Amino acid sequence: MAGSGRLGPVLDEDGSLFGIVNIVDALVVVLLVTVVVAGVALVISESPDRTDQSQPPRYATVTYTVPISSDAASIDESSTLTFAGSGSSYEVTTTTKGFTSDREVQIVARVRYRGNFSGPAIDEQGILRGERPLYGGDESIVLTRGYRTPVTVMAVNQSTSSIQTRRIPLVLAVNESVGRAVETGDSVRVGSQTVGTVRAVAPETEGSRALVGLELTAWLRDDTPWYTDRPLRVDTELTVVTNDAVITGRVTRIGTTNTTER
């Protein structure tokens, strides 16, 4: 009734709500709002690391190599490793670092996961395949600090977040020219991390070899000290880099840095 101040019928004879909005248009608007809200809820609820949060945390140990000058060499605790192609990301809980014979930095990292440790795996033909659970010995590719690099899984289903390390005294037999370039007290560093110290140098020994005594940070695997991806044993060949020299040599003694013993 005109002038009564009351609303007219909900639907008028033209199918409009309150004589203003067509019912078909209104239903389309409601449908669009529902889809948008559902999409937003999905994005918000999706976790960046696709692990099963209902499972207790477990840890995997992986190793990879990057150029010494790369920003990826500075990866450390609370950094993230992301598998290429899958988007699966894992938080790094601890690292230990060393050098390869090619003067690159080799990083051993422990990462946290829940449920399965998963990512794409490289098959026997060298092709990166779809995501699946990864185990010790598997290879994949990771992205870290913008650097893409192959990675090897060393172990999974570990219970501790930290890689145990130990300073190991040892003696390297090196080329005489290297012995002359090294001085007692020189530091072996990866970025801001000190991973070794030169404790003694004998630049002239029999057989045209010099001896360098080092204290080197090793990580423990089943109570065996490892340097990067190899166990520290007599006759192991390894490389360390100081500010003044690249020291490549063969381990002749373990447990001492004394270069005068025979």
Side-chain angles (χ1 to χ4, degrees):
M1 181 183 299
S4 67
R6 300 178 58 187
L7 290 173
V10 174
L11 290 177
D12 63 15
E13 60 184 8
D14 296 323
S16 297
L17 287 172
F18 305 111
I20 300 173
V21 181
N22 184 279
I23 184 62
V24 176
D25 295 336
L27 289 174
V28 171
V29 170
V30 171
L31 179 60
L32 288 175
V33 170
T34 302
V35 171
V36 170
V37 170
V40 170
L42 178 62
V43 171
I44 292 176
S45 65
E46 188 177 23
S47 173
D49 81 10
R50 304 175 179 179
T51 58
D52 184 351
Q53 298 300 307
S54 67
Q55 297 295 317
R58 306 296 291 175
Y59 302 90
T61 302
V62 301
T63 183
Y64 60 94
T65 300
V66 295
I68 193 171
S69 59
S70 169
D71 186 50
S74 64
I75 189 171
D76 220 325
E77 181 181 347
S78 298
S79 299
T80 300
L81 286 182
T82 301
F83 282 100
S86 71
S88 294
S89 297
Y90 299 99
E91 180 188 1
V92 176
T93 58
T94 187
T95 63
T96 182
K97 304 171 185 179
F99 296 95
T100 71
S101 58
D102 297 327
R103 307 182 193 183
E104 292 192 310
V105 173
Q106 183 144 6
I107 296 169
V108 178
R110 187 157 292 177
V111 298
R112 181 186 290 113
Y113 68 95
R114 297 174 189 267
N116 289 323
F117 182 58
S118 301
I122 296 176
D123 64 16
E124 295 178 355
Q125 287 74 42
I127 300 173
L128 192 66
R129 297 297 186 182
E131 183 165 319
R132 67 166 176 78
L134 298 175
Y135 303 98
D138 282 338
E139 295 183 351
S140 186
I141 293 186
V142 292
L143 306 173
T144 173
R145 302 285 177 88
Y147 196 85
R148 180 184 175 102
T149 182
V151 63
T152 299
V153 180
M154 303 190 79
V156 299
N157 201 34
Q158 297 176 290
S159 59
T160 58
S161 62
S162 297
I163 298 175
Q164 288 186 293
T165 60
R166 183 183 299 165
R167 295 279 280 190
I168 302 295
L170 55 87
V171 176
L172 284 183
V174 302
N175 186 279
E176 279 187 313
S177 61
V178 174
R180 289 191 292 269
V182 179
E183 296 183 1
T184 300
D186 285 353
S187 293
V188 180
R189 300 175 65 84
V190 179
S192 60
Q193 185 175 350
T194 299
V195 297
T197 306
V198 177
R199 296 300 186 192
V201 181
E204 296 179 2
T205 63
E206 295 180 4
S208 298
R209 305 294 286 176
L211 297 178
V212 176
L214 289 167
E215 277 188 1
L216 200 60
T217 299
W219 66 284
L220 301 183
R221 184 177 186 181
D222 299 327
D223 294 325
T224 299
W226 284 55
Y227 178 74
T228 61
D229 64 345
R230 65 192 65 187
L232 273 180
R233 299 190 178 107
V234 171
D235 286 333
T236 297
E237 185 171 283
L238 56 84
T239 297
V240 297
V241 179
T242 70
N243 288 337
D244 300 314
V246 177
I247 308 170
T248 297
R250 182 177 53 83
V251 177
T252 61
R253 303 176 201 136
I254 292 180
T256 181
T257 60
N258 192 337
T259 58
T260 62
E261 293 179 356
R262 291 290 186 269

